[in-house]
Amino acid sequence: MKLSIVAALLSAHAVVPAAAGFIPQQNSQASSVRGSVMLRGAAPAVQNEDLDKIVADSPLLSLHRTISEIESISNDESKVGEALVKYLEEHGYTAEKQVVPVEEDANSTAERFNVWAYPNGNPQPKVILTSHIDTVPPHIPYTLHAPEGEFDRANVRIMGRGTVDAKASVAAQITAALNYREANPDAAIGLLFVVGEEVGGTGMVHFSDSDLNTTPPFFRTLIFGEPTELKLVDGHKGNVRFTVEAKGLAAHSGYPWLGHSAVSEILPVLSRIDELGDIPVEEGGLPASEKYGRTTLNIGTIKGGAAGNIVPVSASASVTVRLAAGTVEEAQETIKRAVSDVSGGSQNITVTFPNDKAYPPTDLDVDAEGFEVMTVNYGTDIPKLTIHNEGTDIQVKKYLYGPGSIFVAHGVDEGLTIGDLEEAVEGYGRLIEAGIKRS
Ligand SMILES: *[C@@H]1O[C@H](CO)[C@@H](O)[C@H](O)[C@H]1NC(C)=O
Ligand SMILES: *[C@@H]1O[C@H](CO)[C@@H](O)[C@H](O)[C@H]1NC(C)=O
Ligand SMILES: [Zn+2]
């Protein structure tokens, strides 16, 4: 802790009435100087320069700041990728750019890439830490906030887009890997930072389909970084998306029998879909499981019709299913059957499942010592990485762990504390240790 911080800390105490009484002896002079200023009222207890200095003095916090300040909304990740390549190359790593095509519907045409990095001369590490470098929009600038009340460095809050999801994981993973290798220079720890996680996982699919993902796998432990509140995640639900469309025949609303309402046709279908998670499998519902609870469905959009006085010619809805058990194919069959049952097999109704993006419930490893365990309701890149261990006895363990909470991850108040970020470095260190020991 640097002197200016000590002074800031003491001045924070000094705004408390003297009766609160805690001023360490050895610093009483500094505190009385700053304290008298404080008691006259105006200046904030902790100055921005003090907070900046805390960040500047820490390699972890500085790296986190650098990558959080670079805007990297999905499809526009190349600047942050360049920053990571530079940092890793300065720290004994070979960093390769794995070019990933931009999405067809994206604004940007700039080249973007996953960053695959390994210790110099060791291209097939046994342990890989991985997270994503894209964020959701809009970009929110990086800011630092002193805690209310008594100053405590660990409670300084870092806010801004990506500071949690997932640049906190990225910075903590890199720092943990470098720390571990400082003490164990031969430790083979790889780092994979992918693009496009927030918009369907293109980056991870690209890695998975590439030559880097060997058959059989060279790696034995994968440590995924996402906001998990510093707990190990034992798995997450699957995800299946679909759209339902109904076709009708337009007519004047005064003579509806001359047409056919697409809205009238889709309504019973949607109300059946809405309850599929709540009815037993034997009655045509989607399965629950002890681990993940019920399958839930969200009818996220409904569109239809053109005007109040026209019988609607079309209607559609898009649905996301969070699958608690079974396979993607089984869920798709259940959904098609439910739609067909309720519509009497009407040719006017179609259900479409997009080609990619669906995945079944994903189980993860939790055998590392010293972590709390939880289940999450959000999806990750993990199912997008196919592990080619068919026909071998190779076991690849997968852990999911990271600082910060998913509850703020995509919101305007995205942020986490210095304490959480620093604790994540310890946590990743323990997971690396577990991985190195079994490799
Ligand atoms: C594309 O860019 C334009 C102009 O910069 C912006 O208004 C629009 O929202 C962007 N669209 C997407 C899909 O990002
Ligand atoms: C399908 O739509 C046509 C008109 O477009 C209508 O005549 C027919 O009755 C509809 N089928 C069902 C099952 O509602
Ligand atoms: Zn994320």
Side-chain angles (χ1 to χ4, degrees), residues 137-205:
H139 181 68
I140 301 172
Y142 174 103
T143 50
L144 294 165
H145 304 266
E148 290 190 9
E150 211 169 285
F151 185 82
D152 175 1
R153 180 184 182 283
N155 285 334
V156 170
R157 205 164 172 78
I158 306 172
M159 315 253 326
R161 177 63 75 229
T163 53
V164 172
D165 188 9
K167 290 169 180 175
S169 291
V170 173
Q173 288 181 332
I174 292 173
T175 306
L178 298 182
N179 288 353
Y180 195 89
R181 282 181 41 79
E182 208 169 285
N184 310 271
D186 296 333
I189 307 167
L191 295 161
L192 171 65
F193 300 117
V194 299
V195 298
E197 190 274 345
E198 300 289 2
V199 290
T202 341
M204 186 59 90
V205 169

Side-chain angles (χ1 to χ4, degrees), residues 131-132 134 165-166 197-198 225-227 378-379 406 409-410:
S131 188
H132 63 92
D134 63 320
D165 188 9
E197 190 274 345
E198 300 289 2
E226 285 283 356
Y378 58 88
I406 194 68
H410 293 183

Side-chain angles (χ1 to χ4, degrees), residues 267-333:
L267 279 178
V269 170
L270 292 184
S271 71
R272 178 70 173 171
I273 286 170
D274 208 25
E275 64 187 21
L276 281 182
D278 303 327
I279 55 185
V281 172
E282 313 79 68
E283 292 167 29
L286 288 164
S289 67
E290 206 162 292
K291 185 163 174 180
Y292 301 112
R294 285 186 186 181
T295 291
T296 59
L297 294 94
N298 180 52
I299 302 176
T301 67
I302 299 185
K303 292 178 196 147
N309 60 357
I310 307 172
V311 173
V313 70
S314 68
S316 66
S318 58
V319 186
T320 299
V321 183
R322 301 288 177 174
L323 191 61
T327 66
V328 168
E329 292 71 27
E330 285 162 359
Q332 291 176 341
E333 277 312 307

Side-chain angles (χ1 to χ4, degrees), residues 382-428:
I382 300 172
K384 311 259 160 61
L385 178 48
T386 306
I387 293 174
H388 300 297
N389 59 351
E390 318 77 82
T392 71
D393 56 5
I394 294 173
Q395 294 288 315
V396 175
K397 295 226 176 192
K398 298 181 214 172
Y399 300 100
L400 172 57
Y401 169 87
S405 165
I406 194 68
F407 296 117
V408 299
H410 293 183
V412 290
D413 56 351
E414 178 166 354
L416 81 173
T417 63
I418 287 180
D420 280 356
L421 190 49
E422 291 181 338
E423 192 180 330
V425 175
E426 303 297 317
Y428 284 125

Side-chain angles (χ1 to χ4, degrees), residues 124 208 210-219 386-390 392 394:
Q124 300 211 320
S208 181
S210 76
D211 293 344
L212 292 175
N213 186 20
T214 55
T215 307
F218 62 82
F219 49 86
T386 306
I387 293 174
H388 300 297
N389 59 351
E390 318 77 82
T392 71
I394 294 173

